[in-house]
Amino acid sequence: MNSSQSKTSTGKKIALVMGALGVVFVLLLASVPFWFDMDRYRPQIISQVQPYLRGSLKLGKLSLSVWGKFKVGVDGFELIDVNGKEVASAKSISGEVPIASVFGGAPKLSIQIHQPSISVVKDKNGKMNVLELIRTSSTDPTQKAGETPATAKGESAGQGGFVLNVLNRAQVALNIDRAHLNYSDLTTGQQTSVQSLSLETKKISLSEPSQIKLSADLDVKMGEAGVIEGPFELLAMVHPKPSLEGKWQGSLTAKSDLSQIEIRSSTANVKPKGARGILVTEWTQEKDDLRGSVKVEIPGLDFEGKTKLQFN
């Protein structure tokens, strides 16, 4: 009897100790934002990125939270070209991963990008500001003399297998809200503006089916050729296919109802708003072959094209 009571007492003590340790661990995680200032590393991050840019990078305040999940936030950023003009920006960016999913070997990453803006300009010499922004070099600017890329990164074959396994089990949810895209071609006078672009993916996975939803307000001015205007929505499904070769294989099918799109030329209204229109595209990746097809149906125009690309 005494032996049974002793075991019960010992079990209670162990449970109390484990519970106390759990509480301490949770309190430590909750207190991280109070004693660890993520924003103090902002200058170092900018200095690491700057060697790769011909322009400049501006970062907003950085934040970190570990209450039940790892969450990192950035209060906006700007990419400026050498002429002082903005190329890309966003009001805020955040990413979070539940702690339990990380320890379980199947991380679930959620990324939120609010009001991003990208302005692409092709000048009269045929050069694009986005491509001119990146500094091209045959060597890594941060790589030390005499150091090879393999030794600089410290990669190993064993680590690659573990990382690949984690990536196959990982899930990514991406939400882009109210994006603005602008393209200007100074050689032809073409102007393309995409307003209120939203991209929503609840789950992107290398091993499970994923759904992608894209919506936007189009305003495409093709010089004297015509105008494309109206709300646009595209729904896509991605179906991965198991592969033992370490290469992604699968298919993507996307469909859009173009009935709310209006297409006008300089001489006629090619497609009035409300007229039937449809866009369907399918892409399949198998081994080193990529096959794709695009089909567009609007009044007076039926187009269907197919292509095949090989990657060695």
Side-chain angles (χ1 to χ4, degrees):
M1 189 73 175
N2 291 335
S3 175
S4 176
Q5 290 178 346
S6 176
K7 290 181 179 179
T8 302
S9 178
T10 302
K12 288 181 178 180
K13 290 180 180 180
I14 293 175
L16 288 173
V17 171
M18 295 299 294
L21 289 175
V23 172
V24 171
F25 179 71
V26 171
L27 291 176
L28 283 174
L29 288 178
S31 66
V32 167
F34 297 101
W35 54 265
F36 179 78
D37 184 10
M38 181 74 172
D39 195 53
R40 65 182 294 184
Y41 296 98
R42 188 177 4 156
Q44 288 92 323
I45 294 175
I46 294 176
S47 65
Q48 290 294 317
V49 175
Q50 195 60 51
Y52 297 93
L53 301 176
R54 284 199 175 97
S56 61
L57 171 66
K58 295 181 181 180
L59 275 182
K61 183 179 180 181
L62 306 180
S63 60
L64 172 68
S65 173
V66 290
W67 183 249
K69 54 190 173 184
F70 297 108
K71 182 176 182 179
V72 177
V74 183
D75 286 345
F77 82 94
E78 287 183 87
L79 273 176
I80 312 296
D81 65 15
V82 292
N83 298 317
K85 295 184 179 180
E86 181 184 294
V87 178
S89 67
K91 186 174 182 180
S92 66
I93 301 176
S94 64
E96 60 184 55
V97 182
I99 297 176
S101 70
V102 175
F103 289 118
K108 297 180 179 180
L109 173 63
S110 177
I111 302 174
Q112 303 277 339
I113 304 177
H114 296 287
Q115 298 182 28
S117 175
I118 298 177
S119 179
V120 180
V121 179
K122 183 179 181 181
D123 64 22
K124 294 182 179 180
N125 297 320
K127 294 183 178 180
M128 302 184 71
N129 62 339
V130 175
L131 299 180
E132 293 296 310
L133 184 66
I134 306 299
R135 190 183 302 276
T136 57
S137 174
S138 58
T139 60
D140 187 340
T142 63
Q143 184 177 314
K144 298 179 181 179
E147 191 176 44
T148 64
T151 57
K153 296 181 180 180
E155 296 178 345
S156 67
Q159 292 175 336
F162 172 76
V163 172
L164 183 60
N165 182 50
V166 173
L167 288 176
N168 283 329
R169 300 179 62 189
Q171 296 180 8
V172 178
L174 175 63
N175 191 339
I176 299 177
D177 177 43
R178 289 179 291 171
H180 172 66
L181 305 179
N182 186 71
Y183 173 73
S184 300
D185 190 338
L186 301 184
T187 62
T188 62
Q190 179 179 344
Q191 294 279 341
T192 300
S193 178
V194 179
Q195 305 281 351
S196 300
L197 174 66
S198 295
L199 176 66
E200 181 182 357
T201 62
K202 295 182 179 179
K203 182 181 67 176
I204 300 178
S205 172
L206 295 177
S207 57
E208 297 182 22
S210 309
Q211 180 174 298
I212 302 173
K213 181 180 179 181
L214 178 70
S215 60
D217 289 330
L218 300 181
D219 183 11
V220 181
K221 296 179 176 63
M222 301 175 290
E224 298 180 356
V227 176
I228 301 176
E229 292 179 336
F232 172 80
E233 184 173 294
L234 180 77
L235 187 64
M237 291 295 299
V238 181
H239 295 276
K241 181 179 178 181
S243 172
L244 300 177
E245 301 179 0
K247 297 181 180 179
W248 187 89
Q249 297 187 72
S251 63
L252 179 147
T253 303
K255 186 176 181 180
S256 176
D257 180 0
L258 304 178
S259 61
Q260 297 303 308
I261 296 292
E262 182 178 2
I263 304 176
R264 304 190 305 273
S265 70
S266 57
T267 58
N269 194 355
V270 179
K271 180 195 172 298
K273 183 178 180 180
R276 181 180 180 274
I278 190 171
L279 165 66
V280 179
T281 181
E282 297 181 358
W283 296 86
T284 302
Q285 172 73 37
E286 291 184 355
K287 296 183 179 180
D288 296 327
D289 293 340
L290 175 63
R291 294 181 175 88
S293 65
V294 178
K295 183 178 181 181
V296 179
E297 293 182 2
I298 60 175
L301 174 63
D302 288 341
F303 169 82
E304 184 172 2
K306 296 182 179 181
T307 185
K308 177 181 177 182
L309 302 175
Q310 288 186 327
F311 303 94
N312 297 323

